Amino acid sequence: MSNSEKSKGLPYNIKEKKDKQAAYRTLIRAELADELFDKILNIIVVEKRYREQTFSAKDLATELQTNTRYVSAVINSRFNMNFSCLINEYRIKEALHRMVDKRYANETIEEISSAVGFSNRQSFYAAFYRIMGETPNSYRKKHLSKKQ
């Protein structure tokens, strides 16, 4: 951890996002990017493949019959984030729903994190804090108390 990260007090070893430029991201044809974008949305969002703990960019590329560079380029240009961030964003969205939905009231935070695709508690807490700015426990307590 660098001194600047320590001074900012970011928990869970969260690092600031760095902007990276890669030439191949702009080389993909717009029509191909549009087609891949639609297919990526279908696989990740509609089929909810983000729930699979081992689902990777390579798996997605194989399913799309393309390579990971194209998948990365489309995700970066259309979603403005990388594959991991995209997957984690959908996992957190579902976790948020489950944490306040009465149907999942008996599930622990760890059970919810596993159900939405996280392989361990640390990665769930880090992603949750990065996206929401608070811990899953504090989010759940705050939102459950509002419903009562």
Side-chain angles (χ1 to χ4, degrees), residues 48-102:
K48 297 183 189 265
R49 297 288 300 281
Y50 61 84
R51 289 179 178 168
E52 297 174 23
Q53 292 179 357
T54 59
F55 189 63
S56 68
K58 186 177 180 182
D59 296 332
L60 181 58
T62 300
E63 195 164 325
L64 295 170
Q65 298 177 333
T66 189
N67 63 52
T68 54
R69 282 188 175 257
Y70 279 157
V71 168
S72 259
V74 171
I75 290 173
N76 277 283
S77 66
R78 301 296 166 97
F79 294 97
N80 212 17
M81 61 182 75
N82 66 30
F83 176 81
S84 291
C85 290
L86 178 66
I87 292 295
N88 285 344
E89 193 166 285
Y90 282 100
R91 288 173 174 169
I92 296 301
K93 282 179 183 178
E94 184 172 341
L96 292 171
H97 168 72
R98 284 175 171 252
M99 281 191 262
V100 297
D101 190 313
K102 290 178 182 174

